Amino acid sequence: MTSPVLAIDNLVVRYPGAERPTLDGLTLSLSPGERLALVGPSGCGKSTVARAVLQLLPPGSQCSGGLLLARQDPSRLRRAALRQLRGEAVGLVFQDPMTRLNPLLTIGDHLGDTLAAHRPRWQRRQVREQAEALLERVGIQAERYGSYPHEFSGGMRQRLAIALAMALQPPLVIADEPTTSLDVAVAGQVMGELTNLCREAGSALLLISHDLAMAGRWCDQIAVLDQGRLIEQAPAQQLLTAPASPLAQRLVAKAREREGAQSPAPLPAAALLELEELRSWHALPSLPWQTRWLKAVDGVSLRLQPGETLGLVGASGCGKSTLCRALMGLAPVRGGSVRLEGRNLLSLRGRALRQARRGIQMVFQDPLACLNPQMAVGEAIADPLLIHGLASRAQARQRARELLGAVGLTPPEAFENRLPRQLSGGQQQRVAIARALVLEPKVLLCDESVSMLDAEVQADVLALLRELQQRLGLGMLFVTHDLSVASGFCHRVIVLEGGKIVEEGPGARLLTDPQAAITRALVEACPRLPSAV
């Protein structure tokens, strides 16, 4: 009988200071070639499984039970042997690529260093050729070999992370939310490459995901985790059409509810935010007498009304995130105008600009990268109030507790003193949402703000955003790669390609009758749940 690539037996993991174990007696195994999706609510312990397998748990964590990776116990290996095992026995794709990439290394250096460390006999030319081939395989042009991570979109950074995991063709690939920041078309390509790798090499795939449709499309089996325990495991088709456990039933029901949602109707009103021919261009490396531009946002005009949600969708690298960063003053603006309640922000300076920018806040795509790793989450939420002198320290702390409760982190006292790394990816995103809301902005920019949440928690967060929008008259620009979310949550949806708007309309209409080629590609690539029995 073939030995399993991964064997977990009654595994218990407790983080430092935690009241209960994050993994509580987990038993799981994968044989060569198997594809298993691990799903469950945010905070259920999905990502902790990957960290335990590779011994990447925080110092002071307690870990007990059986754990074998390629017939070796990683907890018993010395550092050098563990590094070798991590590189060659398992490839890991993290949930948040930007925090795992070295900002001082080029894209090529990341891949070259990995290959050179594990293939010391390869010549430099051979390493370069293999690195460029890996980039092409995940949809990145070889000309970007010398680029740096900050010059890539979130989706492109995730594709690089996948290329790093695939570099040595390991017998096990653990993919922790690998397509969170990718549009559905690119996500399909990436997952196709991952599954092809497993098929060609006989590798096992452990896919950690909150997206049930994607799990069903790419995996043979689905296992449901809740509070660190395995509560159900079944063939994908069976679990998605006839789930047995109450939690699996709720998750599937929420996913079906989201797929069947219809766009809410907007109410006409004066523009809250108005963009006219906005351009955000980045200078590319070139000869001294030449100027080459990456036209990330190239002449975008739009209007956002109070209480309206405007969806921004498009392929990775189309300019969605750059548009949000330009509105926040974090990306260069080369032309056009940005009017908030009639005031052109691009003409303001100094204190007037700082006060006006309080009216636009952003929930970033990567929550761990935008939170101070040394600051407790309660302090992180209260900090903007203190910076702007809007509350005393006691008042700011109380407001932070209120927002922790509002975004579902209850009781607040159990979360306010934790550091970001002690939270799950979904919990980190909820902290980021609370921090963006603490100044009660007029416009909220949501850059993939629910992409890391499971369907049940995602629905709760979207309901929270809708309630806040209705109460405060909040306008939202909602960036997403998921057309089904956009169609159900947004009043209108805009499709971007090459920094330009190529289609606009109600989300439901875009799903059923897409006009632009890129919209049709996104709709066709969107995974759907199988029909219920």
Side-chain angles (χ1 to χ4, degrees):
M1 183 176 177
T2 305
S3 299
V5 174
L6 176 66
I8 300 174
D9 182 25
N10 197 31
L11 184 65
V12 178
V13 173
R14 186 189 299 270
Y15 286 122
E19 297 181 359
R20 62 177 182 81
T22 302
L23 294 181
D24 191 11
L26 178 66
T27 297
L28 196 68
S29 68
L30 276 90
S31 298
E34 283 189 333
R35 298 196 302 272
L36 172 68
L38 191 60
V39 304
S42 297
C44 70
K46 302 188 298 291
S47 296
T48 299
V49 175
R51 296 189 182 105
V53 169
L54 293 182
Q55 294 296 291
L56 295 175
L57 298 169
S61 300
Q62 300 175 10
C63 184
S64 62
L67 176 59
L68 290 177
L69 172 61
R71 293 183 291 186
Q72 298 186 72
D73 185 346
S75 66
R76 298 179 180 274
L77 298 179
R78 294 183 180 273
R79 182 169 298 179
L82 182 58
R83 281 200 302 267
Q84 194 76 9
L85 184 72
R86 287 171 179 164
E88 299 191 1
V90 58
L92 180 61
V93 182
F94 285 98
Q95 185 174 11
D96 47 347
M98 192 56 179
T99 58
R100 311 298 175 179
L101 299 174
N102 188 330
L104 301 180
L105 292 182
T106 67
I107 302 307
D109 288 339
H110 278 89
L111 285 165
D113 286 356
T114 298
L115 292 169
H118 292 272
R119 302 291 186 265
R121 296 183 180 179
W122 283 15
Q123 296 180 354
R124 182 177 299 179
R125 180 174 58 82
Q126 191 176 4
V127 169
R128 172 77 182 242
E129 290 175 352
Q130 180 64 14
E132 290 182 347
L134 283 166
L135 289 177
E136 294 282 359
R137 187 172 181 182
V138 294
I140 300 175
Q141 295 178 342
E143 300 92 87
R144 303 301 301 272
Y145 188 89
S147 299
Y148 288 86
H150 74 270
E151 297 176 303
F152 274 15
S153 68
M156 293 176 71
R157 290 195 293 261
Q158 190 66 295
R159 282 183 275 177
L160 171 62
I162 291 169
L164 287 165
M166 294 166 57
L168 302 172
Q169 293 190 325
L172 172 65
V173 175
I174 300 178
D176 187 357
E177 301 283 8
T179 60
T180 291
S181 57
L182 304 180
D183 66 81
V184 289
V186 176
Q189 296 168 9
V190 166
M191 288 304 303
E193 292 295 346
L194 275 175
T195 52
N196 284 340
L197 168 67
C198 295
R199 191 176 297 109
E200 293 167 8
S203 304
L205 171 65
L206 178 61
L207 174 65
I208 297 172
S209 179
H210 66 269
D211 190 330
L212 291 176
M214 188 184 73
R217 179 175 180 179
W218 297 107
C219 293
D220 306 315
Q221 293 268 324
I222 297 179
V224 182
L225 198 64
D226 188 28
Q227 297 184 359
R229 298 177 180 176
L230 186 65
I231 62 170
E232 184 174 356
Q233 181 173 346
Q237 181 78 10
Q238 176 182 327
L239 190 139
L240 295 177
T241 55
S245 65
L247 175 59
Q249 291 169 1
R250 290 201 309 271
L251 293 176
V252 171
K254 285 291 183 181
R256 293 193 184 282
E257 179 182 315
R258 189 188 71 174
E259 286 188 355
Q262 297 294 316
S263 304
L267 298 175
L272 174 63
L273 178 70
E274 192 169 8
L275 310 186
E276 293 263 356
E277 292 295 321
L278 185 67
R279 299 191 300 277
S280 181
W281 297 358
H282 302 276
L284 295 174
S286 60
L287 296 174
W289 57 86
Q290 293 179 333
T291 302
R292 296 173 58 228
W293 298 100
L294 174 62
K295 298 180 180 181
V297 176
D298 192 23
V300 169
S301 298
L302 59 84
R303 290 166 56 91
L304 179 69
Q305 300 169 356
E308 182 185 23
T309 301
L310 180 59
L312 296 177
V313 303
S316 298
C318 71
K320 304 187 300 291
S321 295
T322 300
L323 177 60
C324 291
R325 286 175 169 80
L327 295 178
M328 290 292 294
L330 302 176
V333 175
R334 306 293 177 183
S337 64
V338 178
R339 296 185 180 278
L340 178 63
E341 295 186 314
R343 300 179 69 191
N344 188 356
L345 300 186
L346 301 183
S347 66
L348 301 179
R349 299 290 183 272
R351 183 178 180 182
L353 178 60
R354 288 194 296 273
Q355 289 180 338
R357 285 205 181 279
R358 289 207 314 245
I360 302 179
Q361 294 297 314
M362 183 169 175
V363 182
F364 288 90
Q365 182 175 350
D366 189 344
L368 191 58
C370 73
L371 295 172
N372 188 330
Q374 302 300 323
M375 183 179 286
V377 298
E379 296 176 20
I381 296 171
D383 200 41
L385 292 173
L386 302 177
I387 291 173
H388 290 277
L390 299 177
S392 67
R393 190 167 294 275
Q395 290 171 332
R397 184 176 183 180
Q398 178 58 32
R399 181 59 178 149
R401 287 178 174 174
E402 292 172 1
L403 282 168
L404 281 171
V407 297
L409 297 178
T410 55
E413 293 78 11
F415 290 91
E416 64 179 348
N417 294 318
R418 294 191 192 181
L419 296 175
R421 67 174 181 271
Q422 295 173 316
L423 303 178
S424 70
Q427 290 170 336
Q428 292 164 5
Q429 192 63 288
R430 280 182 274 180
V431 171
I433 291 171
R435 191 175 193 271
L437 292 174
V438 74
L439 294 177
E440 297 188 351
K442 298 181 183 300
V443 175
L444 191 64
L445 311 178
C446 299
D447 188 0
E448 301 284 6
S449 57
V450 296
S451 60
M452 294 183 178
L453 307 179
D454 66 80
E456 190 171 30
V457 178
Q458 185 182 94
D460 293 340
V461 171
L462 291 176
L464 168 67
L465 289 173
R466 178 70 73 217
E467 186 273 327
L468 288 166
Q469 181 180 53
Q470 294 171 350
R471 179 162 58 87
L472 303 174
L474 196 66
M476 282 190 282
L477 283 183
F478 193 82
V479 175
T480 181
H481 63 270
D482 193 328
L483 276 171
S484 61
V485 171
S487 67
F489 183 66
C490 302
H491 299 93
R492 292 184 294 128
V493 177
I494 284 175
V495 182
L496 291 179
E497 183 178 28
K500 297 179 181 292
I501 296 175
V502 297
E503 188 167 358
E504 178 180 354
R509 198 272 294 166
L510 265 60
L511 273 177
T512 57
D513 186 26
Q515 300 297 308
I518 183 61
T519 313
R520 291 196 296 270
L522 293 174
V523 171
E524 290 169 2
C526 190
R528 312 286 287 183
L529 291 175
S531 300
V533 175

